[in-house]
Amino acid sequence: MLRWLCAAALVVLVAVAFSPTLQNGFVDYDDNITVTENLAFRGLSPAHLRWMATATVGGHWQPLAWLTLAVDHAAWDMEPRGYHLTNLAWHALAAVLVMAVLAALLRAAEPPPVAAARVTLAATLAAAAWALHPLRVESVAWVTERRDLVSTLFWLAAVLAYLRAHAPGRRRGPWLAAAVAATALSLLGKAWAITLPAVLLIVDAWPLRRFGRERVGAILLEKLPFVVLALLAAAATRLAQAAMPTGLENHPLPSRLVQAAYGLVWYPWTTLVPTGLSPLHELVPPLDPAEPRFGAPIVLLLAAAALLVVQRRRWPALLAAVAAYVVIVSPVLGLAQVGPQLVADRYAHLATLPFFALAAGGLYAAFGTSPARAAAIGALAGVAILGLGAATWRQTQYWHDDVALWTRAVEVDGQNAFARTALGAALQAQDRLADALPQAEVVLALLMGRDTPEPVLETVRTNLTRGWATVAMQSLMAGDADDARTAALRALGVGQDDAPAMLTVGAVLLRTKNTAEAALAYERALAGDPTQTAARTGLAAVQLEAGEPAEAEKNLRAVLDADPSQVGARINLGVALRRQGRPAEAIPILEEALRLEPNSVAAQRGLAAAREAAKAASP
């Protein structure tokens, strides 16, 4: 009865802590390619199922995860709440399975007689800490990471079945078969279980203590089905990732080893101190071990490894937990890097579970002391769990939408170029271009301080220039000359010779009486595209405004040589000639302008002024 009550309490706690996800939408952080823009998974026909079996979207092979999303679509269509509710349900079930696995580990580790109530309470508290930890949020609140939840649930089922296969009084064959079947299902959700054969060998050593009692050959042979499944899944995953661009040519093996050391320390540390969580912790290679945040983990790992080796007989449970953690997390430490992440919150979802098993063991031992001490420790554990739940409740709300998500990521790390780029895109999607562009300015500054290829920098500069030019023209059309001038000058300040943007900037600056800057904008437009007659026309207009008719004449004649039909250029050329005291030369040019455009008021006025000036100049 106690186990059922504890399981129900776990489900309720998970439902409350993650309830804000039901108000969240999809995010354009892979949810677009996975769900909102993906038509291929929306159905359960043979054709849809064939696609699910072979799809490698985003470098993942995840047939079972696709199937669950297809069922969601059949039930909820494209209502985000339904998908989030399913994620929450998967996680709640996983929490109950974690409790069962931890209880089975405790029963195997502890010498008889085992206190059943103590086992249940210790396993429940440790499972609650795992399930309510803020590091779980990314896998639960992000619809794309359904694969984490599916794979983890069946991974836990496989371990539980394996433990039961080797529990006293159990029939080994059926439970081993169940473990193999659950492993296959886990691998169909995500490739987490490729390390499961090694994890099971660690479990054989502790807490099952099979080595020394059974033949090593038999123990290894027992793992053969698991190894075969893992190799098949590893091959499928490798094929799925083969087409994924890494963009990490400057991230050589030594740098990847530094990344691996950093990750090995980061996941347990963040489990203890869950701060600074982010949808993306940006990788900026190469990583320098001389930098304290990368050098310190290396030193710490070497010291911890030496201590574990020396104390291996005294602390077998700790050694087993650390070994299991290293094995589980090893595929995502960056040695085979795909993606822009240094570490990822979601990678802790399953990898840190061995540490919660250690916590369960500690709680079990504490509950065996005096009643007062046991009650105090239980109360402290309860307070800690409630604190974790509160942090998770808050963390889930950052996933409400793209702006909230990436605003939080920028708050966590202002040097995160990926996050600032994503925030800018999210703001622009809300028609907040003026708010988005300062993010792009910071991104450009960050990239210029890194070993960034010039084509990438040029793309960022071009987009930034065009963005500010658009804001400038929008402000001008809205009648806000000050904002228009400010935006135009920011576009000019980027220094990119983008002809279309510079034409817009020049026009805005000319209208707002910033003639020197307008001239510079038109000159940059010509530098970007020397054939731009509009830029020469604009530059000539600036020169006329600045009292430089001779310079304007040169540009206007170049425009007319390229395109004699340019009426505006002809009118301005007439003005330039008249201002140089050459009205007689201006008259035929203006007459031709009127012939081309008889209703042009500017041409009529120009011609009248030229004739009057010519008459006044005649003896």
Side-chain angles (χ1 to χ4, degrees), residues 324-343:
Y325 159 68
V326 171
V327 166
I328 297 169
V329 81
S330 58
V332 292
L333 288 176
L335 296 176
Q337 180 77 16
V338 176
Q341 69 283 342
L342 174 64
V343 289

Side-chain angles (χ1 to χ4, degrees), residues 553-609:
E553 179 187 356
K554 295 176 186 177
N555 280 304
L556 292 168
R557 289 195 184 279
V559 169
L560 292 173
D561 286 343
D563 184 2
S565 67
Q566 291 275 0
V567 173
R570 286 186 176 277
I571 294 171
N572 281 343
L573 179 57
V575 172
L577 291 170
R578 179 172 58 80
R579 289 184 181 178
Q580 293 179 72
R582 297 154 58 192
E585 294 179 48
I587 291 172
I589 292 172
L590 291 165
E591 287 175 339
E592 179 63 15
L594 269 178
R595 189 188 69 78
L596 292 170
E597 196 171 311
N599 295 322
S600 173
V601 174
Q604 292 171 359
R605 289 176 178 172
L607 181 58

